[in-house]
Amino acid sequence: MTIKGYMFDFSGTLLRAEPARRWLGTVLERLGVTLGESELAAYAERLERAGGLPGGAPPERVPARLERSWQERDLSAEHHRAAFTALARQVELPWEEAYEALYDRHMEPDAWSPYPDAREVLGELRHRGVPVAVVSNIGWDLRPVFRAHGLEELVDVFVLSFEHGVKKPDPRLFRIACEGLGLPPERVAMVGDDRRADGGAAALGCTVHLVDHLPVEQRPSGLLPVLDLTA
């Protein structure tokens, strides 16, 4: 059956978060802190292993005391901030103010880079008259990121978990997106990088297309194959 609409994941699918070293370096520079390259890299690596960078690598281990917070992180803005700052606090930084500043930094538009073919694919879908939704497990409003990168006008519907109190793979979030697109699920494809979360759309009858969550320079044309689904 020909696909008539698309749902796309955000992080790791259309855009990618900046590397942990740049994330930490930007914040410390604003705080007036100067570190040697090796020390900066060491702190950044520890923060990433702890899972403190939203959109970065998942935590290597979630302490039992943070397990509930981690599971509920995408259900509200408060839960999201609390979960990621708590994970970051597992790394003892000499600058107390850095934890909140790090969280704030990850929401800034220039902390994100579109994948090389994101604009091409979204633009072609708009040209074909194919409606697009962004469906994301997230705890903050990503619309300003899309706006800053000139992508917002190519998206018809944003369905964000924290705005609905439900997260992928729950079919309810995908159903909201399909209704927003005005299409039955069997006419909609979900494109994402997480087999479990994004694969939840299959329960509604949606086609699921998976891409690799890779650094921007390593996945130059990962989205282009999805255009074949509308042929």
Side-chain angles (χ1 to χ4, degrees), residues 120-141:
E120 179 180 358
V121 169
L122 295 179
E124 178 61 23
L125 291 174
R126 176 53 53 94
H127 176 71
R128 296 183 187 183
V130 178
V132 166
V134 169
V135 184
S136 178
N137 282 351
I138 198 165
W140 50 278
D141 186 1

Side-chain angles (χ1 to χ4, degrees), residues 111-193:
W112 295 87
S113 297
Y115 280 98
D117 54 354
R119 186 183 308 278
E120 179 180 358
V121 169
L122 295 179
E124 178 61 23
L125 291 174
R126 176 53 53 94
H127 176 71
R128 296 183 187 183
V130 178
V132 166
V134 169
V135 184
S136 178
N137 282 351
I138 198 165
W140 50 278
D141 186 1
L142 51 73
R143 294 174 183 87
V145 175
F146 278 74
R147 189 175 309 130
H149 289 286
L151 299 176
E152 185 182 32
E153 63 184 17
L154 301 177
V155 178
D156 299 281
V157 181
F158 288 90
V159 180
L160 312 181
S161 62
F162 84 104
E163 293 181 338
H164 297 278
V166 61
K167 64 178 184 175
K168 300 180 290 187
D170 193 316
R172 288 178 292 173
L173 201 65
F174 302 109
R175 188 175 297 281
I176 291 169
C178 290
E179 291 173 352
L181 294 175
L183 293 168
E186 61 270 18
R187 289 285 192 172
V188 180
M190 175 66 206
V191 183
D193 67 299

